[in-house]
């Protein structure tokens, strides 16, 4: 019961975070006085504002099956998903506090900025409380290697045939990719319309970044929480996936810190779209290639049922 209470608390704090963050990022007058209105802080906030509702939705969808067979797996998996949700929020909050600490855009601060910081303090306190509850409710038993149930079996298994469920488990990467492309099209389209973007290269870059970010999000959260139990994969498939994840993380970090890094090298900001694409995509591709080489040289890790 303690574990379920902690998970519900995580969902509640996520709802508060999402409501305040959407208001602060989508209301243009309010955004104009926000310390974290642009990069590097906005990269972390944007990832959270998109990822938090998705992760919260899949957690909530599994709660009706809480007392069904497989309770030990379900409890541990859902608690780990709530932990991932809390970590995602925590990273965004950390970026926001970083912007406050360096007084980013201080000349634009006014009473609304004070209200934003007060809201940040409230959400931070909620998040720390939830993190403590999740830590106290953690279970010492069981590992991902021993899981025999997953979210797919609990939720989709009610409406899909066993053959379809088995296909999804075998083709999880395809499912992740398809969902990521849909998310990328929706987000990039909304961004292009909302910001009045007209440069095809910039729109294409933004679409690719969202697709890769959502794919990495799916892979990492599935590894942590066992949404889809994946059968053993070939070494090549594991290396390719690890490389894609590492490259995407590098791309996101370069996107966040491109201006200070480029300024340190050349004395100026990244002020053209081709330069933005070259730096960020180049960092991602180089990291992916390095990861592939390192992973290929290592001994194959033991295969597990869920990753």
């Amino acid at each position: 019961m303690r574990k379920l209470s902690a998970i519900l608390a995580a969902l509640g704090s996520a709802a508060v975070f999402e409501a305040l963050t959407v208001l602060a990022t989508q209301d243009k007058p309010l955004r104009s006085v926000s310390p974290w209105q642009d990069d590097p802080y906005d990269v972390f906030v944007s990832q959270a504002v998109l990822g938090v509702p998705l992760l919260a939705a899949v957690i909530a969808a599994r709660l009706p099956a809480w007392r069904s067979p497989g309770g030990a797996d379900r409890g541990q998996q859902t608690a780990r998903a709530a932990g991932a949700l809390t970590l995602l929020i925590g990273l965004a909050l950390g970026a926001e506090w970083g912007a406050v600490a360096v007084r980013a855009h201080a000349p634009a601060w006014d009473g609304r900025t004070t209200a934003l910081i007060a809201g940040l303090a409230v959400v931070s306190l909620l998040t720390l409380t939830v993190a403590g509850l999740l830590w106290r409710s953690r279970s010492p038993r069981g590992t991902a290697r021993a899981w025999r149930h997953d979210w797919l079996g609990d939720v989709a298994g009610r409406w899909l045939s066993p053959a379809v469920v088995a296909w999804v488990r075998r083709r999880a990467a395809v499912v992740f990719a398809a969902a990521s492309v849909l998310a990328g099209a929706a987000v990039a389209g909304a961004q292009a319309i909302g910001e009045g973007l007209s440069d095809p290269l910039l729109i294409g870059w933004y679409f690719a970044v969202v697709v890769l970010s959502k794919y990495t999000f799916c892979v990492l959260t599935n590894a942590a929480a066992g949404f889809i139990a994946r059968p053993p994969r070939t070494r090549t498939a594991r290396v390719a996936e690890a490389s894609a994840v590492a490259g995407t993380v590098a791309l996101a970090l370069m996107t966040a810190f491109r201006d200070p890094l480029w300024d340190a090298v050349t004395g100026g900001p990244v002020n053209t779209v081709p330069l933005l694409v070259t730096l960020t995509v180049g960092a991602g591709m180089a990291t992916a290639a390095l990861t592939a080489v390192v992973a290929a040289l290592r001994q194959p890790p033991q295969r597990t049922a869920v990753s």
Side-chain angles (χ1 to χ4, degrees):
M1 200 63 188
R2 177 183 293 180
K3 193 182 296 292
L4 180 58
S5 298
I7 292 167
L8 292 174
L11 291 175
S13 69
V16 175
F17 166 83
E18 189 71 13
L20 293 179
T21 305
V22 167
L23 178 64
T25 56
Q26 300 305 310
D27 183 273
K28 290 187 176 181
L30 195 57
R31 183 183 179 93
S32 68
V33 299
S34 167
W36 50 85
Q37 62 185 266
D38 54 16
D39 295 335
Y41 321 104
D42 188 57
V43 166
F44 297 93
V45 175
S46 297
Q47 290 296 329
V49 82
L50 294 174
V52 163
L54 295 174
L55 197 48
V58 296
I59 292 171
R62 202 175 190 192
L63 293 181
W66 188 259
R67 299 187 183 280
S68 301
D73 286 357
R74 185 177 302 106
Q76 188 183 44
Q77 291 166 351
T78 312
R80 289 177 66 161
L85 175 68
T86 304
L87 175 61
L88 185 61
I89 293 172
L91 291 174
L93 296 177
E96 292 175 348
W97 279 119
V100 173
V102 302
R103 296 183 60 80
H105 301 285
W109 289 16
D110 60 16
R112 293 170 294 176
T113 309
T114 302
L116 285 174
I117 296 173
L120 173 61
V122 170
V123 178
S124 299
L125 181 60
L126 285 174
T127 303
L128 287 172
T129 301
V130 167
L133 292 173
L134 288 169
W135 178 259
R136 290 180 59 192
S137 68
R138 71 190 188 284
S139 174
R141 69 169 298 279
T143 64
R145 192 171 299 162
W147 288 339
R148 293 295 178 268
H149 299 82
D150 62 5
W151 179 93
L152 180 66
D154 282 345
V155 181
R158 304 175 195 171
W159 298 286
L160 302 178
S161 69
V164 173
V165 170
W167 184 91
V168 171
R169 287 179 176 141
R170 291 194 307 271
R171 299 289 185 269
V174 175
V175 174
F176 295 157
S180 300
V181 168
L182 290 176
V187 174
Q191 183 76 2
I193 295 171
E195 300 296 329
L197 303 181
S198 58
D199 188 329
L201 179 60
L202 181 59
I203 295 172
W205 172 83
Y206 192 83
F207 169 75
V209 169
V210 175
V211 170
L212 290 171
S213 297
K214 293 305 111 183
Y215 180 82
T216 297
F217 175 80
C218 290
V219 170
L220 295 181
T221 54
N222 189 68
F227 297 126
I228 300 176
R230 304 174 69 180
R233 289 160 291 149
T234 65
R235 183 185 183 189
T236 300
R238 295 195 303 274
V239 169
E241 190 167 87
S243 300
V245 169
T248 300
V249 172
L251 186 154
L253 290 175
M254 179 58 77
T255 300
F257 296 102
R258 64 188 184 276
D259 283 335
L261 290 174
W262 191 244
D263 181 69
V265 174
T266 67
V270 178
N271 51 17
T272 67
V273 174
L275 180 58
L276 167 68
V277 173
T278 300
L279 286 177
T280 55
V281 175
M285 293 180 65
T287 303
L290 179 61
T291 302
V293 171
V294 172
L297 293 176
R298 293 178 58 191
Q299 290 296 322
Q302 184 176 353
R303 294 180 178 181
T304 59
V306 176
S307 59

